[in-house]
Amino acid sequence: MHGPVVAWFAENARDLPWRRPEAGAWGVMVSEFMLQQTPVARVLPVYEEWMRRWPRPADLAAVPPGEAVRAWGRLGYPRRALRLHAAAGAMTERHGGEVPTEHAHLLALPGVGEYTAAAVASFAHGRRQAVLDTNVRRVFARAVVGTRYPPNATTAAERRLARALLPEDEATAARWAAATMELGALVCTARAPRCGVCPISDRCAWRLAGSPEHQGPPRRGQAWAGTDRQVRGRLMAVLRESMEPVRASVLERVWEDSVQRERALRGLLADRLAERLPDGRYRLPGA
DNA sequence: CAGCCGTGGTC
DNA sequence: TGACCAAGGCT
């Protein structure tokens, strides 16, 4: 299936800014952090502004972490901004301000897990790495395994399969990684796959099996309303939008339940997403 | 390792 | 309309 998928990618790949040569490895890394659980459309404007302000890791490392959190805006999971800032610091100190090319070195950076390390090595440096994200896992689950969805958590079997399917040639492997991801993002989508335009629909194991529905336990969605996450989000929105430290009384207005509100605020302080000044006011860290 | 961590668009 | 979903990582 490599031929059809790579050929499809050559014709249908989106022209995304982090895929252009001028993005560099740093641009690829920034995009990968932002794209962790956040759709492309929302990332695009934030990415552009981020790269304009901080074109190299050392530029980001030179500003307080709160500036990164503020620039992160409404992308969600603001701890990613903190980790990207910390990763920039680590690269400035330990890697001469450059994005590492070795998977193991990438993996050692804060906020860089198995997927992101492989993605940066492959997309930024052209390395031969099995890149296993939710898109690729879904494509493999359908095309190879014959199920509608992959397992909830990445399994050893999936890693073996991804390595087995990875082309030997380095450049081809990198294209294959990007192509399978793009196929999952544009065609082999979670809810309504567009099998009519899929380059491998004729050999897709899931289709050949009659497109069976999902078996096993339902995929649990994450609760949101009323959770600490919602409270944290509101608190962070206030801190982000204020260029001055805010008084506690301002934060009190975002949530009725004082017990939950205080717990959420303590959580933000513990996570270093917010800090309390000696005068009792709160702000983004160092900003 | 199951649970936690934001936000907004979609069907 | 609300559940699902979007290029995960960390504990």
Side-chain angles (χ1 to χ4, degrees):
Chain A
M1 61 177 168
H2 295 71
V5 171
V6 170
W8 172 87
F9 183 63
E11 288 301 313
N12 297 279
R14 290 168 292 181
D15 176 28
L16 300 170
W18 43 87
R19 286 180 177 165
R20 298 202 271 267
E22 59 266 31
W26 170 237
V28 172
M29 174 172 282
V30 169
S31 76
E32 291 303 336
F33 269 77
M34 292 182 173
L35 288 164
Q36 290 169 3
Q37 304 285 281
T38 302
V40 168
R42 289 230 305 284
V43 164
L44 284 169
V46 181
Y47 171 85
E48 298 287 6
E49 174 63 11
W50 192 283
M51 293 303 290
R52 189 194 64 72
R53 283 183 70 178
W54 302 304
R56 301 164 303 178
D59 300 317
L60 177 59
V63 304
E67 286 303 317
V69 174
R70 196 190 305 282
W72 198 256
R74 310 185 70 83
L75 288 184
Y77 291 144
R79 47 178 40 170
R80 291 181 293 163
L82 234 38
R83 291 171 181 158
L84 180 52
H85 180 270
M91 290 187 287
T92 302
E93 291 197 356
R94 307 202 296 261
H95 299 285
E98 300 294 324
V99 175
T101 58
E102 296 300 323
H103 181 90
H105 292 163
L106 287 162
L107 198 54
L109 296 172
V112 177
E114 178 183 345
Y115 161 75
T116 302
V120 172
S122 179
F123 304 153
H125 302 302
R127 293 300 184 88
R128 181 177 181 275
Q129 288 286 153
V131 178
L132 208 49
D133 80 323
T134 185
N135 289 305
V136 177
R137 296 179 60 223
R138 191 173 52 247
V139 168
F140 289 171
R142 288 178 183 161
V144 180
V145 182
T147 58
R148 194 180 207 294
Y149 294 118
N152 279 323
T154 304
T155 63
E158 287 181 280
R159 293 189 182 93
R160 274 197 303 274
L161 177 60
R163 281 198 304 271
L165 291 175
L166 195 63
E168 282 301 324
D169 176 67
E170 193 171 51
T172 309
R175 250 179 295 134
W176 165 253
T180 47
M181 267 183 79
E182 191 78 336
L183 187 65
L186 297 183
V187 175
C188 197
T189 55
R191 245 177 273 186
R194 304 167 58 204
C195 302
V197 298
C198 178
I200 54 173
S201 62
D202 62 335
R203 71 203 74 179
C204 173
W206 180 58
R207 289 214 97 207
L208 293 174
S211 307
E213 281 310 307
H214 177 62
Q215 304 294 319
R219 308 161 67 69
R220 292 210 56 76
Q222 296 174 330
W224 169 249
T227 62
D228 285 8
R229 297 166 70 192
Q230 183 178 21
V231 185
R232 287 167 60 109
R234 289 193 184 182
L235 291 169
M236 287 302 295
V238 171
L239 297 178
R240 223 189 290 125
E241 285 150 25
S242 171
M243 294 309 288
E244 296 295 323
V246 303
R247 286 175 290 118
S249 59
V250 177
L251 294 179
E252 286 168 11
R253 288 201 280 276
V254 309
W255 200 257
E256 275 290 314
D257 181 351
S258 62
V259 172
Q260 187 176 20
R261 192 185 61 236
E262 290 301 325
R263 183 174 66 228
L265 183 54
R266 279 197 306 275
L268 293 176
L269 295 171
D271 291 344
R272 314 305 300 265
L273 279 166
E275 67 184 11
R276 181 193 167 108
L277 299 177
D279 67 5
R281 292 184 298 167
Y282 296 88
R283 67 173 187 182
L284 300 179

